[in-house]
């Protein structure tokens, strides 16, 4: 198709290179079975990149490796290589379960994530030479890092505790003065089976002015 502002739309195939083992050493490949119209742009004379929705890439790898969603108690953090940036850094995309939820038709799914786009490298479609199909392929590269779901629940529980603390701590509370006080009395919060010191038992959150002179 005609290019506009350096961006052109061309039909091509999609392949996703991905790893999902702990060491990220086992390279896997998934191919999307349908022809796609991909927006592309040239980075330089030799390199062209394209963009595609992340959920399409995730659907491709889940179809190729269903064990990704078959294990109870296991989820993955998704990282995508950004071909538009220098040295192709990894960009975090959230949890695999979140991306799958955004692609589902359920009303509670975070629909805003379904618009997440990732970049890929435009390369020749060798298989297309044999089938006389599309001559180009968009190559997207993902890294999936295993995360036990118990760690997710611990994270959410910790965030809830922080929110509860922020509701009860006075706005005028001097956190730096409190930190200095703990440094001067390191034994206050140390785990012990002995009765707590009287100083700790009598401690209440003071006004900021009470810390003057610490």
């Amino acid at each position: 198709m005609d290019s506009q502002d350096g961006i052109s739309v061309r039909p091509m195939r999609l392949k996703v290179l991905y790893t999902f083992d702990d060491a990220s050493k086992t390279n896997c490949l998934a191919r999307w079975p349908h022809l796609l119209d991909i927006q592309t742009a040239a980075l330089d004379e030799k390199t062209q990149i394209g963009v595609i929705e992340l959920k399409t890439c995730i659907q491709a790898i889940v179809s190729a490796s269903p064990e990704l969603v078959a294990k109870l108690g296991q989820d993955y953090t998704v990282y995508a290589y950004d071909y538009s940036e220098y040295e192709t850094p990894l960009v975090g995309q959230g949890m695999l379960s979140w991306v799958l939820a955004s692609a589902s038709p359920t009303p509670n799914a975070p629909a805003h994530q379904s618009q997440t786009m990732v970049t890929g490298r435009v390369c020749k479609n060798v298989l297309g030479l044999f089938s006389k199909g599309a001559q180009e392929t968009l190559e997207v590269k993902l890294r999936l890092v295993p995360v036990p779901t118990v760690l997710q629940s611990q994270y959410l529980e910790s965030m809830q505790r922080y929110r509860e603390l922020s509701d009860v701590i006075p706005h005028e509370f001097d956190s730096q003065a409190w930190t200095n006080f703990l440094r001067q009395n390191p034994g206050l919060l140390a785990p012990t089976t002995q009765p707590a010191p009287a100083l700790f038992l009598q401690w209440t959150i003071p006004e900021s002015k009470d810390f003057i002179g610490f």
Side-chain angles (χ1 to χ4, degrees), residues 75-88:
D75 203 349
Y76 297 85
T77 304
V78 180
Y79 294 91
Y81 287 82
D82 190 347
Y83 288 91
S84 67
E85 296 289 342
Y86 177 67
E87 293 187 343
T88 320

Side-chain angles (χ1 to χ4, degrees), residues 96-112:
L96 175 63
S97 58
W98 301 351
V99 180
L100 291 174
S102 71
S104 70
T106 56
N108 295 326
H112 66 281

Side-chain angles (χ1 to χ4, degrees), residues 18-28 76 143-146:
Y18 62 102
T19 61
F20 61 93
D21 57 309
D22 290 325
S24 298
K25 292 184 178 180
T26 303
N27 296 313
C28 302
Y76 297 85
R143 177 184 295 180
L144 277 63
V145 179

Side-chain angles (χ1 to χ4, degrees), residues 172-178 180-181 184 203 206-214:
E172 65 274 10
F173 176 66
D174 191 335
S175 59
Q176 185 58 50
W178 170 248
N180 293 337
F181 176 79
Q184 294 175 9
W203 175 263
E207 299 291 340
S208 299
K209 62 183 180 180
D210 294 336
F211 285 104
I212 297 176
F214 260 32

Side-chain angles (χ1 to χ4, degrees), residues 16-193:
V16 184
L17 303 174
Y18 62 102
T19 61
F20 61 93
D21 57 309
D22 290 325
S24 298
K25 292 184 178 180
T26 303
N27 296 313
C28 302
L29 169 63
R31 298 184 187 276
W32 187 245
H34 309 295
L35 193 65
L36 299 169
D37 289 329
I38 302 295
Q39 286 186 319
T40 64
L43 285 184
D44 51 47
E45 295 181 355
K46 297 182 179 180
T47 306
Q48 289 193 343
I49 63 171
V51 294
I52 189 171
E53 281 191 276
L54 173 63
K55 68 177 183 180
T56 303
C57 302
I58 294 299
Q59 289 171 347
I61 67 175
V62 168
S63 298
S65 302
E67 65 269 29
L68 288 171
V69 294
K71 294 181 180 179
L72 295 177
Q74 182 75 64
D75 203 349
Y76 297 85
T77 304
V78 180
Y79 294 91
Y81 287 82
D82 190 347
Y83 288 91
S84 67
E85 296 289 342
Y86 177 67
E87 293 187 343
T88 320
L90 285 166
V91 180
Q93 305 292 337
M95 304 302 296
L96 175 63
S97 58
W98 301 351
V99 180
L100 291 174
S102 71
S104 70
T106 56
N108 295 326
H112 66 281
Q113 290 192 10
S114 65
Q115 301 301 317
T116 301
M117 308 295 286
V118 294
T119 61
R121 182 174 64 91
V122 177
C123 56
K124 288 185 178 180
N125 179 20
V126 178
L127 294 180
L129 299 177
F130 296 98
S131 62
K132 296 183 179 180
Q135 301 298 308
E136 293 179 311
T137 292
L138 183 68
E139 179 183 282
V140 175
K141 193 172 182 180
L142 302 178
R143 177 184 295 180
L144 277 63
V145 179
V147 178
T149 53
V150 64
L151 295 183
Q152 293 186 57
S153 62
Q154 290 174 351
Y155 166 76
L156 295 175
E157 182 179 348
S158 297
M159 294 304 297
Q160 179 62 29
R161 289 179 179 176
Y162 284 128
R163 282 192 291 267
E164 292 173 353
L165 283 174
S166 65
D167 291 336
V168 299
I169 294 178
H171 293 294
E172 65 274 10
F173 176 66
D174 191 335
S175 59
Q176 185 58 50
W178 170 248
T179 301
N180 293 337
F181 176 79
L182 292 179
R183 287 176 179 173
Q184 294 175 9
N185 301 272
L188 288 180
L189 299 182
T192 177
T193 57

